[in-house]
Amino acid sequence: GQQVMQIPQYQHVQEGEDFTTYCNSSTTLSNIQWYKQRPGGHPVFLIQLVKSGEVKKQKRLTFQFGEAKKNSSLHITATQTTDVGTYFCLAGGTSYGKLTFGQGTILTVHP
Amino acid sequence: DAGITQSPRHKVTETGTPVTLRCHQTENHRYMYWYRQDPGHGLRLIHYSYGVKDTDKGEVSDGYSVSRSKTEDFLLTLESATSSQTSVYFCAISESMTSGRLNEQFFGPGTRLTVL
């Protein structure tokens, strides 16, 4: 079955440093979504990537989808304390039963 | 935030007792999901529904059943709760697929369940 590995599991940064989390799939994906979950909160949708090699930006966040559509990354430039939380990828397909979340990367930002 | 509520928000129960969690939406979205979230495992899909009375199993469905008698309500039942089912449970909704791809999911606030 589909497996999605997300790394790193934890990341501690100083405010102002950059941060990147990666998701790697064992199979080719039709799309990938990214979510953020604040401590004590629920996951909130950030973005969806569909096309091979796609790059999307949201202010300080840059999302990439690999050429082979098997990996994706989320990069945050100049982190702020408001970026604290857990970032998840959701590997999509054409079957809802095959939805697979990455394990998540917990980001801590030290002021 | 999308109109999704979960009840109860917190529950403590004993091993062997039945438990039902409720998810209610006001968005009229077709798809509804139940996930559990545990440290080190992220979010794992338990069951999902693609319409009234249409449900299917996810990755970790053993020990759980679901029902959807109305578009707006999706119930998750633990017939006989076990300590391994202690977790945070999230309900999510999404619109129908677009061009064969899954749409974004909107999550409820979660239910923290403790089974003693």
Side-chain angles (χ1 to χ4, degrees):
Chain A
Q2 179 173 275
Q3 295 184 349
V4 176
M5 295 298 297
Q6 187 172 356
I7 56 171
Q9 187 174 359
Y10 302 94
Q11 186 76 58
H12 302 265
V13 299
Q14 289 293 130
E15 190 172 19
E17 293 181 338
D18 293 355
F19 159 76
T20 305
T21 176
Y22 302 88
C23 275
N24 300 297
S25 170
S26 57
T27 59
T28 302
L29 305 172
S30 65
N31 63 307
I32 194 162
Q33 299 174 358
W34 285 93
Y35 291 79
K36 176 184 178 180
Q37 184 177 20
R38 288 199 162 93
H42 58 274
V44 174
F45 175 81
L46 293 175
I47 209 158
Q48 176 166 268
L49 304 172
V50 176
K51 299 176 182 177
S52 170
E54 188 171 15
V55 178
K56 287 188 176 181
K57 294 189 176 183
Q58 289 179 349
K59 297 182 180 179
R60 295 178 294 104
L61 277 61
T62 302
F63 304 84
Q64 293 188 332
F65 202 10
E67 293 290 341
K69 300 182 73 173
K70 286 187 173 183
N71 55 72
S72 181
S73 65
L74 158 60
H75 179 82
I76 302 178
T77 303
T79 54
Q80 300 175 358
T81 55
T82 54
D83 295 325
V84 165
T86 303
Y87 293 84
F88 295 97
C89 62
L90 172 58
T94 55
S95 168
Y96 284 91
K98 296 192 185 305
L99 285 174
T100 306
F101 270 96
Q103 296 87 345
T105 296
I106 301 173
L107 174 63
T108 304
V109 180
H110 300 285
Chain B
D1 286 344
I4 311 170
T5 56
Q6 292 185 231
S7 59
R9 295 292 314 280
H10 302 271
K11 187 170 182 66
V12 179
T13 191
E14 294 187 348
T15 298
T17 60
V19 176
T20 296
L21 308 183
R22 179 183 184 236
C23 177
H24 179 79
Q25 62 147 328
T26 58
E27 305 296 322
N28 200 36
H29 282 359
R30 179 181 175 188
Y31 293 91
M32 299 186 76
Y33 317 80
W34 277 108
Y35 291 93
R36 61 178 289 174
Q37 185 173 37
D38 306 288
H41 290 280
L43 288 150
R44 292 181 291 175
L45 182 64
I46 304 172
H47 282 278
Y48 65 99
S49 170
Y50 46 96
V52 174
K53 297 187 179 179
D54 291 324
T55 65
D56 207 346
K57 297 178 180 180
E59 177 188 357
V60 290
S61 59
D62 288 348
Y64 302 94
S65 62
V66 291
S67 66
R68 191 170 178 197
S69 58
K70 297 185 290 185
T71 298
E72 56 266 35
D73 290 325
F74 193 31
L75 304 181
L76 176 70
T77 298
L78 292 66
E79 300 290 348
S80 178
T82 67
S83 59
S84 64
Q85 293 176 311
T86 292
S87 186
V88 178
Y89 291 85
F90 286 100
C91 172
I93 64 174
S94 70
E95 295 182 280
S96 298
M97 298 175 76
T98 302
S99 301
R101 293 188 297 272
L102 307 180
N103 281 306
E104 66 184 278
Q105 297 187 30
F106 301 93
F107 284 80
T111 294
R112 185 173 295 276
L113 175 67
T114 302
V115 183
L116 301 175

